[in-house]
Amino acid sequence: FNLSSIRNHGGPSVDVNAPKISITFLNPHPSKDKKEESIDVEAKVGETILQTAHRHGIDLEGACEGVCACSTCHVIFDDDVFDRLEEASEDEEDMLGKDIIAF
């Protein structure tokens, strides 16, 4: 039994003392009162976006239970961030079912 790390279902084990970074989640379905709802959270380096969302009570779907075998936990990047990403490998595109979309 290891108390020095946290393991969320379907994701990597992350050290409880892992460094943290800030992430902002934007609600794709905001209320009528607000055009954009956002929540700033701290993510542990090494955990998945899905793990971070669930740890902070954000309802992000992961049909494969977080084992990176589907593409239901979509992430949308600003154009300037997306443009800095490496091109997806053929294996990544196959895994995602060609769900990579540029706006």
Side-chain angles (χ1 to χ4, degrees):
F1 191 36
N2 183 356
L3 296 177
S4 67
S5 64
I6 299 169
R7 180 165 173 84
N8 292 315
H9 184 72
S13 180
V14 180
D15 189 293
V16 294
N17 297 315
K20 296 177 182 165
I21 59 170
S22 295
I23 295 180
T24 301
F25 286 92
L26 299 178
N27 184 352
H29 308 289
S31 66
K32 293 178 183 179
D33 299 338
K34 298 179 183 177
K35 285 192 170 198
E36 185 174 279
E37 295 175 348
S38 65
I39 181 171
D40 296 316
V41 299
E42 284 192 338
K44 294 179 181 181
V45 173
E47 73 182 347
T48 66
I49 297 291
L50 184 63
Q51 287 173 316
T52 301
H54 288 178
R55 193 164 51 79
H56 290 282
I58 297 169
D59 186 23
L60 185 63
E61 182 182 359
C64 69
E65 298 179 350
V67 297
C68 299
C70 71
S71 57
T72 57
C73 58
H74 296 288
V75 177
I76 300 172
F77 295 98
D78 288 333
D79 288 338
D80 62 321
V81 174
F82 184 82
D83 291 341
R84 291 182 291 182
L85 297 174
E86 294 179 17
E87 289 291 321
S89 70
E90 187 175 330
D91 287 342
E92 288 174 311
E93 288 182 355
D94 288 345
M95 179 185 68
L96 296 172
K98 310 287 188 219
D99 283 341
I100 298 172
I101 301 170
F103 293 94

